[in-house]
Amino acid sequence: MDVRRRLPAVDALLGHPEVQLARRRHGRRLIRRAVRQVLAEARRGLAQPAAAAPDVDDLARRVLERLDELARPASRAVFNLTGTVIHTNLGRSPLAEAAVVAMTEAARHPVALEYDLDGGGRGDRDRLVEGLLCELTGAEAATVVNNNAGAVLLALGALGAGREALISRGELVEIGGAFRMPDIMAAAGCRLREVGATNRTHARDFEAAIGEHTGLIVKAHTSNYAITGFTARVPETRLAEIAHAHGIPFLIDLGSGALTDFAALDLPYEPQPGDAIGAGADVVTFSGDKLLGGPQAGILVGRRDLIERIRRHPLKRALRLDKLTLAALEATLRLYRDSDVPQHDIPTLALLTRPEADIAATGERLLPRVDGLLAGFEVTLASCASQLGSGSLPVDRLPSRALVWRSLTEPRRQREREIRRLEAALRCLPRPVIGRLTDGALLLDLRCLEGASEEAAFIDQLAQLPGLYAASARQDGGGPP
């Protein structure tokens, strides 16, 4: 007799008491899907010689596990213990509570997005944030798109298509995802004209390069690298003078963008859009979800006539923001305008300015809960250095503390294998924990683990780690820990 015939029918497994209880959390449609998948896998397994049919209780357990997998969203909250505060792969800046509330309200209700409540006619969605951006930067006008790459592309296309764009060789940046300034200029229809040398560019280099085909001068803030040593750069005020003397626009791409004085917060200096406007820039572009601490957005501020040209470009509609992002951006900008302590109200600023002593205290509380959790590992609390991330201030570091996990196994190759298993097991927790591997150890930087509720959520799931670690070891053929 074919042993596969001993498997229960779909309806029989659906009637198992444990599966029936699951209907309180999952609909019948999802449960039926899970049952069919589990039975199909069991049927394939029974095709092997000498395979024994699983009992119904075991199949029901597998169905419940599959239900959890099917119901789990792909976009999941994680613990960012990498030491990179604004982590691109983890969604960059967490939003302020005011922004979360604003997004929720915009999602739940119709909003006056492109409707003029005063006049009763069609409005412009830019008006939701333009006034705030002008007030915070000193610009005459502002517009917003989906990210800063889009902002640069749009500005270049609107202001310099078919003409030359002058930029220093030392600013031909490439950021994550192979985004290169030369490529974005080509996509915008500009002809790149490199000026000066990689490490030294002078005002005379720009003046000599300007000709009848010059469309604009571009400056890109080198936010994700630094050139040191024998260097020279042209001040923004001088570049503005050169551009204006020849009647061409001066565009500055700030990249990260900041709307507060970082030096006053005891953080490394970061140029602000208002500084660039004050230096004579005609258009300034920057991100919404980096140092500003808001949602993903590309922000353009500057001269009214040039911002209007940018608004009229056909690409503007393709890059426009939706109502949820605009609601979050408006709420974030209002915090910068109205809050007495934006460094407390905006989570990114709060994490960047978090006192080292506070991080150390978190580590002291957590160390007894993790040390001894896994046999064969030791855990210590050590000093480390966090970074801002997402291309912001690449050289500067922030003092922090980390839980450092090391395997006590010999030889070294086995130690490294077990550390990788641990790292994989942490990623399998209900709320995955993301750390970083360094010198044969796993570091969990605690800078971004702030608040009693976050600590409690981290601790509450630690009991599951030994089982997940054992499963990870079996999966890669290492046997039980």
Side-chain angles (χ1 to χ4, degrees), residues 286-362:
F286 54 101
S287 295
D289 57 346
K290 294 183 179 179
L291 297 180
L292 192 147
Q296 178 178 299
I299 301 170
L300 303 96
V301 299
R303 270 172 42 190
R304 180 170 287 105
D305 60 325
L306 298 183
I307 295 296
E308 286 303 319
R309 280 172 59 183
I310 290 169
R311 280 200 184 104
R312 292 193 298 268
H313 193 279
L315 196 58
K316 173 63 165 67
R317 182 177 178 86
L319 298 174
R320 69 182 183 178
L321 291 182
D322 70 304
K323 66 173 184 175
L324 302 184
T325 306
L326 279 166
L329 181 59
E330 180 189 4
T332 304
L333 295 174
R334 286 183 179 277
L335 288 175
Y336 276 102
R337 187 193 67 178
D338 302 336
S339 174
D340 293 331
V341 282
Q343 66 270 28
H344 294 162
D345 296 330
I346 296 175
T348 294
L349 297 183
L351 293 174
L352 293 175
T353 58
R354 188 180 178 192
E356 186 179 359
D358 185 43
I359 305 172
T362 299

Side-chain angles (χ1 to χ4, degrees), residues 17 19 38 42 74 87 96 98 108 116-117 145 162 179 278 331 350 385-386 402 409 431 452-453 466:
V19 177
V38 167
H87 200 301
R108 183 175 288 126
D116 183 359
L117 291 172
V145 292
F179 171 90
S386 307
T409 307
R431 181 173 170 185
S453 62

Side-chain angles (χ1 to χ4, degrees), residues 397-416:
R397 296 291 185 268
L398 305 173
S400 186
R401 294 289 190 280
L403 295 172
V404 183
W405 297 68
R406 289 185 175 85
S407 171
L408 302 176
T409 307
E410 294 290 349
R412 177 178 177 180
R413 181 177 298 178
Q414 181 65 19
R415 290 201 305 272
E416 293 176 347

Side-chain angles (χ1 to χ4, degrees), residues 119-315:
R122 185 181 177 92
D124 183 350
R125 66 181 63 197
D126 278 1
R127 66 176 174 77
L128 298 177
V129 295
E130 183 176 20
L132 288 164
L133 286 168
C134 292
E135 187 175 350
L136 290 167
T137 65
E140 295 177 357
T143 187
V144 287
V145 292
N146 67 335
N147 62 19
N148 191 50
V152 175
L153 176 67
L154 181 61
L156 290 171
L159 305 180
R163 300 173 67 81
E164 289 182 345
L166 275 55
I167 186 171
S168 169
R169 280 192 174 90
E171 297 171 5
L172 294 176
V173 299
E174 175 181 330
I175 63 174
F179 171 90
R180 291 182 170 184
M181 183 61 78
D183 296 338
I184 210 71
M185 284 188 174
C190 297
R191 297 195 300 274
L192 169 65
R193 179 73 182 273
E194 300 177 27
V195 175
T198 301
N199 60 321
R200 292 178 66 83
T201 303
H202 306 279
R204 62 179 181 272
D205 296 320
F206 280 95
E207 291 171 328
I210 292 178
E212 59 178 323
H213 301 297
T214 304
L216 73 165
I217 291 177
V218 178
K219 180 174 180 59
H221 179 47
T222 55
S223 58
N224 60 352
Y225 68 95
I227 299 175
T228 60
F230 187 56
T231 63
R233 54 181 290 276
V234 186
E236 293 170 358
T237 52
R238 184 72 181 102
L239 286 175
E241 290 173 359
I242 296 170
H244 299 160
H246 293 85
I248 57 176
F250 175 36
L251 165 67
I252 296 180
D253 171 26
L254 281 183
S256 294
L259 287 181
T260 193
D261 183 357
F262 270 43
L265 300 177
D266 292 326
L267 292 169
Y269 169 77
E270 177 73 10
Q272 297 182 57
D275 299 333
I277 294 293
D282 299 299
V283 174
V284 181
T285 67
F286 54 101
S287 295
D289 57 346
K290 294 183 179 179
L291 297 180
L292 192 147
Q296 178 178 299
I299 301 170
L300 303 96
V301 299
R303 270 172 42 190
R304 180 170 287 105
D305 60 325
L306 298 183
I307 295 296
E308 286 303 319
R309 280 172 59 183
I310 290 169
R311 280 200 184 104
R312 292 193 298 268
H313 193 279
L315 196 58

Side-chain angles (χ1 to χ4, degrees), residues 354-371 379-382 400-404 444-447 449 455 458-459:
R354 188 180 178 192
E356 186 179 359
D358 185 43
I359 305 172
T362 299
E364 295 290 349
R365 288 191 298 270
L366 291 178
L367 184 59
R369 308 300 295 266
V370 297
D371 191 21
V379 187
T380 58
L381 183 64
S400 186
R401 294 289 190 280
L403 295 172
V404 183
L444 302 182
D445 188 315
L446 301 174
R447 174 171 290 277
L449 188 66
E455 275 189 46
F458 176 77
I459 291 170

